[in-house]
């Protein structure tokens, strides 16, 4: 399963990089950045949330991966927020402002 999880994450990473690149011409996407990482804004930061397993015959039949995606933008009406909101199985969780940056947090099953 490990290779498959990695493949799925890389597929999501490509989608997120395309969204940011369209907004600002750069690919400011960070996966589980360690504390103290200097991020360039606007950006998307995402992390693994949880795994959901469906079982059949005492084995994992299907596995769905949950990610938490945060869009961080100095603009209050970010095109990136709109794009992430249109991803399949995406749910907007919350919005907040910190250090004059607008944060929109989404849950995505991928």
């Amino acid at each position: 399963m490990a290779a498959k999880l990695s493949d799925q994450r890389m597929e999501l990473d490509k989608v997120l990089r395309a969204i940011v690149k369209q907004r600002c011409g750069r690919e400011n996407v960070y996966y589980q950045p360690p504390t103290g990482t200097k991020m360039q804004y606007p950006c998307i930061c995402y992390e693994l949330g949880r795994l959901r397993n469906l079982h059949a015959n005492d084995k994992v039949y299907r596995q769905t991966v949950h990610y938490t995606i945060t869009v961080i933008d100095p603009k209050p009406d970010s095109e990136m927020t709109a794009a992430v909101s249109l991803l399949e199985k995406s749910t907007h969780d919350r919005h907040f402002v910190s250090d004059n940056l607008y944060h929109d947090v989404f849950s995505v099953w991928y």
Side-chain angles (χ1 to χ4, degrees), residues 1-36:
M1 274 288 193
K4 186 176 181 194
L5 288 175
S6 175
D7 292 344
Q8 286 177 311
R9 187 184 74 75
M10 293 311 293
E11 188 177 310
L12 176 61
D13 194 82
K14 284 181 191 177
V15 171
L16 297 177
R17 286 180 187 281
I19 290 170
V20 177
K21 191 167 189 171
Q22 183 178 10
R23 156 70 169 90
C24 66
R26 296 183 305 258
E27 296 181 359
N28 301 335
V29 176
Y30 305 94
Y31 177 64
Q32 298 183 178
T35 303

Side-chain angles (χ1 to χ4, degrees), residues 44-62:
I44 290 178
C45 179
Y46 70 109
E47 60 189 34
L48 178 66
R50 60 190 175 273
L51 303 173
R52 181 174 23 185
N53 292 333
L54 294 176
H55 295 85
N57 294 332
D58 296 325
K59 295 182 182 178
V60 175
Y61 174 72
R62 183 185 321 168

Side-chain angles (χ1 to χ4, degrees), residues 77-93:
D77 298 319
S78 175
E79 298 90 356
M80 295 187 314
T81 298
V84 172
S85 73
L86 296 175
L87 291 177
E88 216 173 290
K89 299 180 183 174
S90 172
T91 305
H92 187 262
D93 290 337

Side-chain angles (χ1 to χ4, degrees), residues 23 42 72-79 81 95 100-102 104:
R23 156 70 169 90
I72 307 170
D73 200 326
K75 291 173 45 179
D77 298 319
S78 175
E79 298 90 356
T81 298
H95 172 84
N100 294 320
L101 294 169
Y102 297 88
D104 285 284

